[in-house]
Each structure stands twice: as structure tokens, then as C-alpha cells.
């Protein structure tokens, strides 16, 4: 009857053995005079604690890092610094869209003011009066004018983006159109161009 065969060493054991032999040879050549650390000792040296010893200091450092990041992002929204802008505002096409919209006079900037005036008038004027019909009609005329203006803007912006970049990134035209509906001084990132100063 044949004797029981020994199990073949695993690939990991073979690698560990070769590494240990190579380290031993290197130590003997260099005359280091120290024994080769075992695998257990090497793994223990590589291990780091998952939870820091000083939790209070760690949380304070984390809060400070978050605060610094927010401050940099806030400055970037004022200066247009691409490095620290939010992800939704990053990219050359988004910058081009912002500059194109900011250089243009947009009717949509005043839509919210028109809506506010309509609400205030509706609180004062009775709903059954003839004046209310005219006010409501004026508001709808303004709304349609804004819709046409945004449509024209989106067509022009798409054309200019295609001419400059070849391919228009998804969402860029919508990004510019929504920016045109915001009052100029309240836009973020803040406008970096004057009216009429269209991007090249």
C-alpha cells in the first residue's frame, strides 16, 4: 500500500518562502546581523488602526478640512476659479455657456420680478375686476416672451458650442438656459464678463 502523499504547498506559501529566502540572502550579503522578520511580524508592521487613538483631535481636523474646502469653493464661486468650483459648474463648455449668457441681455432675469408684481397686485385688486384681466394678460405676454427668448438663446448657444468644441456636452445648453432665468447679480458662479463681452 502506498504511503499518503504530502499536499503541495500553496502559491502564497511558495511566494512567502521565496521572499524569506531572498531577504535572508540579502541580509547575509549586507552583513546586517538581524534575523529576517517573520510573515506575522511584517503584517503587524503594515497594519494601521482603523480608529485613530485621539478621536477628538481627528474630528476637529476633519471639520477644519471640510470648512477649508467650503471656503475655497465659496471663493471659487466669486472668482470663477475652475479648480475649486462645484462639479456641476466645472468644464470649459460650462464656462463658455456662463460667459455667453452673462454677456447677453436676457428677459428671463426679470420673470421673477414680474411674478412678484402679479402676486402683489392680485392681493390688492379684486379677482372679478377688469384690471385683473389686464394684469393677468400682461403676465402671460411676458411669460411667452421669456419662453421665446430662452428658445433663441438655446439655439445660439448650441451653435456656438458646436463651432468651438465640435461636440456639445449633455446638459450644457440646459445649464445656460437656466442661468439666463436668474437675476444677473444673484448668479453663482458670479459673472466674469460685462454685457456685450461675448466669449471668443
Amino acid at each position: 500500500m502506498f504511503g499518503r502523499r504530502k499536499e503541495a504547498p500553496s502559491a502564497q506559501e511558495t511566494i512567502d518562502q521565496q521572499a524569506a529566502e531572498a531577504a535572508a540572502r540579502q541580509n547575509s550579503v549586507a552583513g546586517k546581523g538581524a534575523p529576517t522578520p517573520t510573515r506575522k511580524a511584517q503584517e503587524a508592521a503594515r497594519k494601521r488602526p482603523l480608529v485613530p487613538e485621539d478621536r477628538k483631535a481627528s474630528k476637529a481636523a476633519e471639520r477644519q478640512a471640510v470648512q477649508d474646502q467650503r471656503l475655497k469653493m465659496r471663493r471659487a464661486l466669486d472668482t470663477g476659479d475652475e479648480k475649486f468650483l462645484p462639479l456641476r459648474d466645472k468644464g470649459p463648455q460650462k464656462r463658455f455657456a456662463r460667459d455667453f449668457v452673462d454677456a447677453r441681455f436676457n428677459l428671463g432675469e426679470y420673470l421673477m420680478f414680474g411674478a412678484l408684481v402679479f402676486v402683489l397686485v392680485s392681493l390688492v385688486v379684486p379677482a372679478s375686476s377688469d384690471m385683473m384681466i389686464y394684469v393677468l394678460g400682461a403676465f402671460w405676454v411676458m411669460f411667452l416672451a421669456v419662453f421665446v427668448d430662452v428658445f433663441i438663446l438655446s439655439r445660439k448657444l448650441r451653435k456656438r458650442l458646436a463651432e468651438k468644441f465640435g461636440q456639445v456636452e449633455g446638459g450644457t445648453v440646459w445649464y445656460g438656459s437656466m442661468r439666463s432665468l436668474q437675476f444677473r447679480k444673484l448668479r453663482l458662479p458670479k459673472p466674469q464678463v460685462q454685457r456685450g463681452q461675448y466669449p471668443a
Side-chain angles (χ1 to χ4, degrees):
M1 192 171 181
F2 297 106
R4 183 176 295 176
R5 295 173 60 186
K6 293 183 178 179
E7 293 182 358
S10 66
Q12 183 63 42
E13 290 175 350
T14 305
I15 293 172
D16 291 342
Q17 184 179 359
Q18 291 175 354
E21 290 174 357
R25 285 196 298 271
Q26 185 177 359
N27 290 340
S28 62
V29 171
K32 191 173 180 182
T36 304
T38 62
R39 179 182 176 187
K40 186 175 181 180
Q42 290 176 353
E43 288 179 352
R46 286 196 300 266
K47 282 183 180 177
R48 294 180 181 178
L50 296 176
V51 179
E53 295 179 1
D54 191 349
R55 292 187 180 184
K56 190 173 181 181
S58 176
K59 286 182 179 180
E62 186 177 350
R63 279 197 303 270
Q64 185 64 38
V66 171
Q67 186 177 358
D68 291 344
Q69 187 67 24
R70 286 179 181 169
L71 183 60
K72 289 177 181 177
M73 186 179 293
R74 180 67 220 181
R75 288 175 181 166
L77 290 172
D78 291 337
T79 62
D81 184 5
E82 188 78 15
K83 186 177 179 182
F84 297 106
L85 281 177
L87 186 61
R88 66 181 177 85
D89 299 309
K90 281 188 176 181
Q93 293 200 25
K94 296 286 181 66
R95 175 178 284 276
F96 185 92
R98 287 196 303 272
D99 292 345
F100 186 84
V101 170
D102 295 338
R104 185 176 181 272
F105 175 80
N106 305 284
L107 286 176
E109 297 179 46
Y110 305 100
L111 181 63
M112 289 300 171
F113 292 104
L116 180 61
V117 169
F118 173 75
V119 170
L120 293 176
V121 170
S122 64
L123 293 175
V124 177
V125 179
S128 59
S129 68
D130 293 338
M131 185 178 177
M132 194 63 190
I133 297 174
Y134 293 119
V135 172
L136 183 60
F139 177 75
W140 276 108
V141 168
M142 182 179 182
F143 181 81
L144 290 173
V146 169
F147 178 81
V148 172
D149 186 58
V150 172
F151 178 76
I152 294 172
L153 164 68
S154 62
R155 294 288 298 271
K156 288 183 177 180
L157 180 58
R158 183 179 297 278
K159 182 180 178 182
R160 291 290 303 277
L161 286 168
E163 289 174 355
K164 185 172 179 63
F165 299 100
Q167 186 176 3
V168 181
E169 292 179 355
T172 306
V173 176
W174 177 260
Y175 173 82
S177 300
M178 291 299 101
R179 185 175 177 86
S180 71
L181 298 177
Q182 301 170 3
F183 189 58
R184 181 181 170 87
K185 291 186 177 181
L186 300 180
R187 293 173 186 166
L188 289 175
K190 288 187 177 179
Q192 303 298 314
V193 297
Q194 301 298 322
R195 293 218 191 252
Q197 190 181 352
Y198 288 93

